[in-house]
Structures are given as structure tokens and as C-alpha cells.
Amino acid sequence: MLLSFSSEFRPAGLLLLALTLAACGGSSSDHDQDLGEGGGEGGVPDGTTLLIDTDNAAAVLVHARLALEILPRLQRNANLLIAQGLNGTPTCDNPDGVFQLTEDDQGAPAVAVFEDCVDPLYPSRSFDGRIVFDFTDPNRPYSEFSSYRNRISSSSSFSQEWSLSGGFSIRPEDAGNAFGNAVIADANVISNYSLITDAGTRIVGYRFQDFEVLFDSTINVLEQPLPTLAGEGRLFLLNDHAEGWVQVSTPHTLTAPLPGNGFCYGNGELVINGAEDTRVQLDYSGSDLMISLNGVTVISGDCEALLEQLLAQAGLAI
């Protein structure tokens, strides 16, 4: 069996984690160095392709699923603050915060610099780092993130950070459609997630290589799940339960997110392939999910009821 479940659940803590994982952004950590070094081609780590088995399948599945949301969330969060700057409105809620925005001759953003800038729309969120924009191709603008982080402080004893280093292009899914579904394309970036509590800090790392993410770019509420989500490409996982390269795909786009839940969807399919033809697959159907390992169903049932144990086996339970 892939999973073994206890009868003890903590719905309040679980809901908080699921929502905040789906909603926010960043921090720098030692994993930046771990993921960024190595003699692989193009600076990609030399880590081997991960063999997926019963011991790590849950961690691979959860981390790959959460990885789909990292780039859309960070790109959206940065854009909200930059849009305020372009409109000439105050952009930091704290007097010691710094936000500097340089525009090109056409009035488009060229460089954005953040230093402990608290978001005036969501004061629990702050930004650090630098983003350089390239609008050479207006239909495929490019963003390069350097030492960028987005921190969410839910309370004095609970906060989260996402970091991002590297760049990607973004384009409408359909030519001429500036809104609705968009695609983050050709992503080659390093990202880390840090969960900070009174018990200490847990850090997990991701590296995206030639990755694309399809998402609904019209989302405008912090906690709201992305109505449309899909992705494909190579992903390097670095956490206590799974380390190595996997190939991610969504043969069927994730749609119809369940109300009040940042992880579960009503429809969609996520497939992660590892070494030696190993494979773990997640299928959403209504309120249920089904997980199969190498083509054999190992668990099925209500997604929300099973989620806490999945997060625990991925090292993300609180």
C-alpha cells in the first residue's frame, strides 16, 4: 500500500495549510545553492532521475501538484504590486519598505526592486528582490527574477516564504487574448518553499526546466484556487522524502476546484514519471481522488479526508 491512514485528523490546521500553500509566495535558503550547483548542462544539477516507489510516491505526488501553482502565484503577486506602481499609487504599506519601478520609453515596466515592501492590499505579505522585464516580443514578455522572495505572515508564530531565481515568458493561451487563460512558458527557475513555525523552519526546493504552466490569469482573490491549472516539463524535487528529477504532465487539465480547498479539484489528471518507467498518477473526480502507482490503484476516496495524510507523508503537515 502507498498510504496508511490514522483516524486522527486536524481539519482546521489542514485547511490553513492547504489554502496558504495555494495562495502565496517566497524566500532564499541553502537549497538555492543545492539546486544551483553541479556539473549538469546549463547549470542543471547532476541529480539522477528519481525512482518512484511506495516510500516516496506520496511526497512526489504532493510536491509535483503544489509545484504547478508556484510560478502562476508568484507572477501574479508581483504583477499586482507593479500595477499599483504603474498607476502612481502607494506601493508599500510600511514607511521603511522600498519599491522602485523603472519604466521603458513606452511606459512598460523595465526593472522592479523590492526591499521589505509590505503589500498595501494584503499587509500580511511582503516582497524582496529584483525583477527585470523584457518586452522585445510584446506577445511573449520575459521576466527575470533575482533573489526574489514573497513572504506571508499569517501570525506571529506562523509564516511562509517562496523564493524564485531565474526567468520565464508569459503569453496568452490564444493569440490576441490578453486575459483569461495564460501560459508561463520555457521556465528555467529555482524556487524554494519555507514553512516557519515556533517548532522551526522546514524548507523544500524545486527546479523547473523547460516547464510550461497553463493557468487562469484573471484570478483576483488571494485564497481562491486557480480555476484552471495544467503543466508539463522536468521538475527537480529536493525535500526530505524525495530528491531527483521527474517528468510532470497533466493529460487532462485540472478544473473545478473544490470550495474552500487549495489542493483538491473536481476534474483533472496529474502524471509524474520517474526512473525505470516508474509512474505515480493522481486523478480528480468530483470530490474524490484516486492515486495509482505503476498502473495499480493504491488509494481512492474523498480528497479532503485524505489530504492531511498525504501532506504528512510529503513533510508538509502542521
Side-chain angles (χ1 to χ4, degrees):
M1 289 289 290
L2 170 61
L3 303 173
S4 59
F5 295 98
S6 68
S7 60
E8 180 183 356
F9 296 102
R10 296 181 296 280
L14 172 62
L15 181 59
L16 173 65
L17 179 59
L19 287 175
T20 49
L21 280 178
C24 35
S27 124
S28 301
S29 78
D30 291 339
H31 281 313
D32 279 336
Q33 183 177 16
D34 293 340
L35 283 169
E37 292 185 342
E41 182 179 355
V44 175
D46 281 330
T48 58
T49 301
L50 181 64
L51 183 72
I52 303 173
D53 57 25
T54 56
D55 293 329
N56 63 24
V60 170
L61 184 67
V62 170
H63 284 286
R65 163 65 186 82
L66 295 176
L68 292 178
E69 302 208 18
I70 294 174
L71 303 184
R73 295 288 179 177
L74 291 184
Q75 186 270 343
R76 170 195 167 275
N77 288 356
N79 276 4
L80 289 177
L81 205 60
I82 290 166
Q84 295 178 64
L86 292 173
N87 290 331
T89 57
T91 53
C92 293
D93 198 45
N94 52 327
D96 55 341
V98 174
F99 174 70
Q100 298 174 341
L101 179 63
T102 303
E103 301 176 31
D104 64 17
D105 294 339
Q106 306 301 316
V111 180
V113 177
F114 308 89
E115 294 179 12
D116 190 28
C117 180
V118 175
D119 189 337
L121 294 180
Y122 301 99
S124 62
R125 180 168 59 189
S126 62
F127 298 83
D128 282 280
R130 175 185 177 93
I131 310 173
V132 177
F133 301 93
D134 181 355
F135 286 88
T136 303
D137 181 351
N139 297 315
R140 199 181 180 95
Y142 183 80
S143 302
E144 182 77 25
F145 292 76
S146 301
S147 300
Y148 178 83
R149 69 177 184 178
N150 186 190
R151 178 170 180 151
I152 306 291
S153 298
S154 303
S155 68
S156 59
S157 60
F158 182 90
S159 63
Q160 302 170 91
E161 293 183 356
W162 286 106
S163 69
L164 188 61
S165 295
F168 53 76
S169 301
I170 185 167
R171 58 178 171 78
E173 183 186 11
D174 301 313
N177 174 21
F179 303 97
N181 286 347
V183 178
I184 286 178
D186 309 320
N188 287 280
V189 299
I190 295 171
S191 181
N192 294 312
Y193 168 70
S194 303
L195 176 63
I196 305 159
T197 67
D198 288 340
T201 300
R202 273 173 283 176
I203 303 172
V204 295
Y206 304 89
R207 178 147 194 165
F208 300 81
Q209 184 185 49
D210 300 327
F211 212 92
E212 292 198 355
V213 183
L214 168 70
F215 67 105
D216 191 323
S217 61
T218 62
I219 182 172
N220 58 11
V221 178
L222 184 67
E223 295 86 1
Q224 180 180 334
L226 290 160
T228 301
L229 188 60
E232 183 174 7
R234 293 188 74 208
L235 177 67
F236 190 89
L237 300 173
L238 181 61
N239 59 75
D240 291 340
H241 303 274
E243 180 174 343
W245 287 102
V246 294
Q247 184 73 27
V248 176
S249 64
T250 47
H252 296 94
T253 300
L254 310 188
T255 59
L258 300 188
N261 187 292
F263 185 93
C264 301
Y265 278 75
N267 299 288
E269 180 182 1
L270 171 65
V271 177
I272 303 100
N273 289 288
E276 299 180 15
D277 295 323
T278 54
R279 164 184 172 129
V280 63
Q281 179 170 330
L282 167 65
D283 291 275
Y284 290 115
S285 178
S287 61
D288 291 341
L289 62 73
M290 181 177 70
I291 299 170
S292 58
L293 179 62
N294 300 326
V296 178
T297 300
V298 291
I299 194 68
S300 62
D302 182 81
C303 182
E304 294 189 31
L306 300 176
L307 180 53
E308 182 175 14
Q309 191 67 26
L310 284 171
L311 292 172
Q313 294 200 10
L316 292 173
I318 58 174

PDB file of all heavy atoms in Angstrom, residues 119-137:
ATOM      1  N   ASP A 119       2.797  44.667   1.190  1.00  0.00           N
ATOM      2  CA  ASP A 119       1.726  44.856   0.226  1.00  0.00           C
ATOM      3  C   ASP A 119       0.573  45.632   0.872  1.00  0.00           C
ATOM      4  O   ASP A 119       0.012  45.187   1.865  1.00  0.00           O
ATOM      5  CB  ASP A 119       1.248  43.485  -0.254  1.00  0.00           C
ATOM      6  CG  ASP A 119       0.280  43.567  -1.414  1.00  0.00           C
ATOM      7  OD1 ASP A 119      -0.361  44.613  -1.599  1.00  0.00           O
ATOM      8  OD2 ASP A 119       0.169  42.560  -2.132  1.00  0.00           O
ATOM      9  N   PRO A 120       0.184  46.796   0.316  1.00  0.00           N
ATOM     10  CA  PRO A 120      -0.914  47.552   0.919  1.00  0.00           C
ATOM     11  C   PRO A 120      -2.270  46.862   0.786  1.00  0.00           C
ATOM     12  O   PRO A 120      -3.174  47.119   1.575  1.00  0.00           O
ATOM     13  CB  PRO A 120      -0.884  48.885   0.164  1.00  0.00           C
ATOM     14  CG  PRO A 120      -0.214  48.584  -1.121  1.00  0.00           C
ATOM     15  CD  PRO A 120       0.781  47.505  -0.830  1.00  0.00           C
ATOM     16  N   LEU A 121      -2.420  45.992  -0.210  1.00  0.00           N
ATOM     17  CA  LEU A 121      -3.682  45.269  -0.363  1.00  0.00           C
ATOM     18  C   LEU A 121      -3.783  44.101   0.600  1.00  0.00           C
ATOM     19  O   LEU A 121      -4.864  43.791   1.110  1.00  0.00           O
ATOM     20  CB  LEU A 121      -3.829  44.764  -1.802  1.00  0.00           C
ATOM     21  CG  LEU A 121      -3.976  45.827  -2.891  1.00  0.00           C
ATOM     22  CD1 LEU A 121      -4.117  45.164  -4.257  1.00  0.00           C
ATOM     23  CD2 LEU A 121      -5.178  46.725  -2.611  1.00  0.00           C
ATOM     24  N   TYR A 122      -2.665  43.435   0.875  1.00  0.00           N
ATOM     25  CA  TYR A 122      -2.615  42.294   1.788  1.00  0.00           C
ATOM     26  C   TYR A 122      -1.434  42.505   2.725  1.00  0.00           C
ATOM     27  O   TYR A 122      -0.326  42.032   2.442  1.00  0.00           O
ATOM     28  CB  TYR A 122      -2.471  40.981   1.014  1.00  0.00           C
ATOM     29  CG  TYR A 122      -3.594  40.730   0.041  1.00  0.00           C
ATOM     30  CD1 TYR A 122      -3.437  41.008  -1.316  1.00  0.00           C
ATOM     31  CD2 TYR A 122      -4.822  40.236   0.475  1.00  0.00           C
ATOM     32  CE1 TYR A 122      -4.469  40.795  -2.216  1.00  0.00           C
ATOM     33  CE2 TYR A 122      -5.863  40.023  -0.418  1.00  0.00           C
ATOM     34  CZ  TYR A 122      -5.677  40.300  -1.761  1.00  0.00           C
ATOM     35  OH  TYR A 122      -6.703  40.092  -2.652  1.00  0.00           O
ATOM     36  N   PRO A 123      -1.615  43.237   3.835  1.00  0.00           N
ATOM     37  CA  PRO A 123      -0.496  43.605   4.705  1.00  0.00           C
ATOM     38  C   PRO A 123       0.246  42.428   5.330  1.00  0.00           C
ATOM     39  O   PRO A 123       1.323  42.623   5.886  1.00  0.00           O
ATOM     40  CB  PRO A 123      -1.175  44.466   5.785  1.00  0.00           C
ATOM     41  CG  PRO A 123      -2.401  45.002   5.125  1.00  0.00           C
ATOM     42  CD  PRO A 123      -2.870  43.909   4.228  1.00  0.00           C
ATOM     43  N   SER A 124      -0.303  41.232   5.229  1.00  0.00           N
ATOM     44  CA  SER A 124       0.421  40.066   5.739  1.00  0.00           C
ATOM     45  C   SER A 124       1.506  39.607   4.775  1.00  0.00           C
ATOM     46  O   SER A 124       2.287  38.708   5.094  1.00  0.00           O
ATOM     47  CB  SER A 124      -0.550  38.907   5.990  1.00  0.00           C
ATOM     48  OG  SER A 124      -1.174  38.505   4.782  1.00  0.00           O
ATOM     49  N   ARG A 125       1.593  40.243   3.598  1.00  0.00           N
ATOM     50  CA  ARG A 125       2.513  39.803   2.552  1.00  0.00           C
ATOM     51  C   ARG A 125       3.583  40.866   2.311  1.00  0.00           C
ATOM     52  O   ARG A 125       3.296  42.055   2.244  1.00  0.00           O
ATOM     53  CB  ARG A 125       1.731  39.549   1.266  1.00  0.00           C
ATOM     54  CG  ARG A 125       2.584  39.091   0.096  1.00  0.00           C
ATOM     55  CD  ARG A 125       1.720  38.575  -1.030  1.00  0.00           C
ATOM     56  NE  ARG A 125       0.787  39.566  -1.535  1.00  0.00           N
ATOM     57  CZ  ARG A 125      -0.188  39.293  -2.407  1.00  0.00           C
ATOM     58  NH1 ARG A 125      -0.362  38.061  -2.812  1.00  0.00           N
ATOM     59  NH2 ARG A 125      -0.986  40.239  -2.837  1.00  0.00           N
ATOM     60  N   SER A 126       4.834  40.420   2.164  1.00  0.00           N
ATOM     61  CA  SER A 126       5.929  41.352   1.876  1.00  0.00           C
ATOM     62  C   SER A 126       6.804  40.803   0.757  1.00  0.00           C
ATOM     63  O   SER A 126       6.814  39.596   0.490  1.00  0.00           O
ATOM     64  CB  SER A 126       6.777  41.614   3.124  1.00  0.00           C
ATOM     65  OG  SER A 126       7.372  40.417   3.583  1.00  0.00           O
ATOM     66  N   PHE A 127       7.576  41.706   0.125  1.00  0.00           N
ATOM     67  CA  PHE A 127       8.365  41.378  -1.054  1.00  0.00           C
ATOM     68  C   PHE A 127       9.812  41.833  -0.885  1.00  0.00           C
ATOM     69  O   PHE A 127      10.083  42.885  -0.306  1.00  0.00           O
ATOM     70  CB  PHE A 127       7.798  42.075  -2.294  1.00  0.00           C
ATOM     71  CG  PHE A 127       6.404  41.674  -2.667  1.00  0.00           C
ATOM     72  CD1 PHE A 127       5.310  42.259  -2.044  1.00  0.00           C
ATOM     73  CD2 PHE A 127       6.178  40.721  -3.642  1.00  0.00           C
ATOM     74  CE1 PHE A 127       4.023  41.895  -2.392  1.00  0.00           C
ATOM     75  CE2 PHE A 127       4.888  40.351  -3.992  1.00  0.00           C
ATOM     76  CZ  PHE A 127       3.803  40.943  -3.361  1.00  0.00           C
ATOM     77  N   ASP A 128      10.736  41.052  -1.433  1.00  0.00           N
ATOM     78  CA  ASP A 128      12.137  41.437  -1.558  1.00  0.00           C
ATOM     79  C   ASP A 128      12.634  40.918  -2.904  1.00  0.00           C
ATOM     80  O   ASP A 128      12.138  39.909  -3.416  1.00  0.00           O
ATOM     81  CB  ASP A 128      12.996  40.825  -0.443  1.00  0.00           C
ATOM     82  CG  ASP A 128      12.855  41.565   0.870  1.00  0.00           C
ATOM     83  OD1 ASP A 128      13.487  42.616   1.027  1.00  0.00           O
ATOM     84  OD2 ASP A 128      12.087  41.086   1.738  1.00  0.00           O
ATOM     85  N   GLY A 129      13.666  41.600  -3.459  1.00  0.00           N
ATOM     86  CA  GLY A 129      14.300  41.089  -4.662  1.00  0.00           C
ATOM     87  C   GLY A 129      14.182  42.023  -5.846  1.00  0.00           C
ATOM     88  O   GLY A 129      13.795  43.187  -5.721  1.00  0.00           O
ATOM     89  N   ARG A 130      14.487  41.488  -7.017  1.00  0.00           N
ATOM     90  CA  ARG A 130      14.596  42.288  -8.239  1.00  0.00           C
ATOM     91  C   ARG A 130      13.997  41.510  -9.411  1.00  0.00           C
ATOM     92  O   ARG A 130      14.204  40.301  -9.538  1.00  0.00           O
ATOM     93  CB  ARG A 130      16.081  42.591  -8.502  1.00  0.00           C
ATOM     94  CG  ARG A 130      16.401  43.320  -9.797  1.00  0.00           C
ATOM     95  CD  ARG A 130      17.920  43.420  -9.939  1.00  0.00           C
ATOM     96  NE  ARG A 130      18.322  44.041 -11.186  1.00  0.00           N
ATOM     97  CZ  ARG A 130      18.571  45.339 -11.328  1.00  0.00           C
ATOM     98  NH1 ARG A 130      18.466  46.142 -10.282  1.00  0.00           N
ATOM     99  NH2 ARG A 130      18.945  45.834 -12.495  1.00  0.00           N
ATOM    100  N   ILE A 131      13.250  42.217 -10.268  1.00  0.00           N
ATOM    101  CA  ILE A 131      12.689  41.624 -11.478  1.00  0.00           C
ATOM    102  C   ILE A 131      13.055  42.518 -12.659  1.00  0.00           C
ATOM    103  O   ILE A 131      12.822  43.728 -12.619  1.00  0.00           O
ATOM    104  CB  ILE A 131      11.158  41.482 -11.403  1.00  0.00           C
ATOM    105  CG1 ILE A 131      10.725  40.801 -10.114  1.00  0.00           C
ATOM    106  CG2 ILE A 131      10.646  40.693 -12.610  1.00  0.00           C
ATOM    107  CD1 ILE A 131       9.223  40.774  -9.912  1.00  0.00           C
ATOM    108  N   VAL A 132      13.624  41.926 -13.694  1.00  0.00           N
ATOM    109  CA  VAL A 132      13.943  42.647 -14.933  1.00  0.00           C
ATOM    110  C   VAL A 132      13.003  42.137 -16.024  1.00  0.00           C
ATOM    111  O   VAL A 132      12.852  40.925 -16.213  1.00  0.00           O
ATOM    112  CB  VAL A 132      15.411  42.427 -15.343  1.00  0.00           C
ATOM    113  CG1 VAL A 132      15.704  43.125 -16.665  1.00  0.00           C
ATOM    114  CG2 VAL A 132      16.345  42.928 -14.253  1.00  0.00           C
ATOM    115  N   PHE A 133      12.378  43.074 -16.731  1.00  0.00           N
ATOM    116  CA  PHE A 133      11.392  42.726 -17.754  1.00  0.00           C
ATOM    117  C   PHE A 133      11.949  42.984 -19.153  1.00  0.00           C
ATOM    118  O   PHE A 133      12.686  43.942 -19.371  1.00  0.00           O
ATOM    119  CB  PHE A 133      10.118  43.559 -17.566  1.00  0.00           C
ATOM    120  CG  PHE A 133       9.472  43.383 -16.224  1.00  0.00           C
ATOM    121  CD1 PHE A 133       9.775  44.247 -15.174  1.00  0.00           C
ATOM    122  CD2 PHE A 133       8.575  42.355 -16.000  1.00  0.00           C
ATOM    123  CE1 PHE A 133       9.189  44.091 -13.936  1.00  0.00           C
ATOM    124  CE2 PHE A 133       7.987  42.190 -14.759  1.00  0.00           C
ATOM    125  CZ  PHE A 133       8.295  43.055 -13.724  1.00  0.00           C
ATOM    126  N   ASP A 134      11.560  42.139 -20.094  1.00  0.00           N
ATOM    127  CA  ASP A 134      11.971  42.279 -21.487  1.00  0.00           C
ATOM    128  C   ASP A 134      10.718  42.182 -22.356  1.00  0.00           C
ATOM    129  O   ASP A 134      10.106  41.114 -22.466  1.00  0.00           O
ATOM    130  CB  ASP A 134      12.972  41.181 -21.854  1.00  0.00           C
ATOM    131  CG  ASP A 134      13.461  41.298 -23.299  1.00  0.00           C
ATOM    132  OD1 ASP A 134      12.951  42.166 -24.040  1.00  0.00           O
ATOM    133  OD2 ASP A 134      14.351  40.513 -23.676  1.00  0.00           O
ATOM    134  N   PHE A 135      10.333  43.313 -22.961  1.00  0.00           N
ATOM    135  CA  PHE A 135       9.148  43.357 -23.808  1.00  0.00           C
ATOM    136  C   PHE A 135       9.537  43.438 -25.288  1.00  0.00           C
ATOM    137  O   PHE A 135       8.789  43.984 -26.100  1.00  0.00           O
ATOM    138  CB  PHE A 135       8.264  44.550 -23.426  1.00  0.00           C
ATOM    139  CG  PHE A 135       7.525  44.357 -22.134  1.00  0.00           C
ATOM    140  CD1 PHE A 135       8.099  44.722 -20.931  1.00  0.00           C
ATOM    141  CD2 PHE A 135       6.256  43.797 -22.125  1.00  0.00           C
ATOM    142  CE1 PHE A 135       7.428  44.549 -19.729  1.00  0.00           C
ATOM    143  CE2 PHE A 135       5.571  43.608 -20.931  1.00  0.00           C
ATOM    144  CZ  PHE A 135       6.153  43.980 -19.727  1.00  0.00           C
ATOM    145  N   THR A 136      10.702  42.905 -25.630  1.00  0.00           N
ATOM    146  CA  THR A 136      11.137  42.890 -27.027  1.00  0.00           C
ATOM    147  C   THR A 136      10.082  42.235 -27.910  1.00  0.00           C
ATOM    148  O   THR A 136       9.776  42.710 -28.999  1.00  0.00           O
ATOM    149  CB  THR A 136      12.475  42.143 -27.166  1.00  0.00           C
ATOM    150  OG1 THR A 136      13.448  42.766 -26.311  1.00  0.00           O
ATOM    151  CG2 THR A 136      12.956  42.172 -28.600  1.00  0.00           C
ATOM    152  N   ASP A 137       9.528  41.131 -27.425  1.00  0.00           N
ATOM    153  CA  ASP A 137       8.393  40.488 -28.095  1.00  0.00           C
ATOM    154  C   ASP A 137       7.166  40.771 -27.242  1.00  0.00           C
ATOM    155  O   ASP A 137       6.974  40.143 -26.206  1.00  0.00           O
ATOM    156  CB  ASP A 137       8.621  38.988 -28.221  1.00  0.00           C
ATOM    157  CG  ASP A 137       7.486  38.269 -28.937  1.00  0.00           C
ATOM    158  OD1 ASP A 137       6.441  38.916 -29.191  1.00  0.00           O
ATOM    159  OD2 ASP A 137       7.621  37.066 -29.223  1.00  0.00           O
TER     160      ASP A 137
END
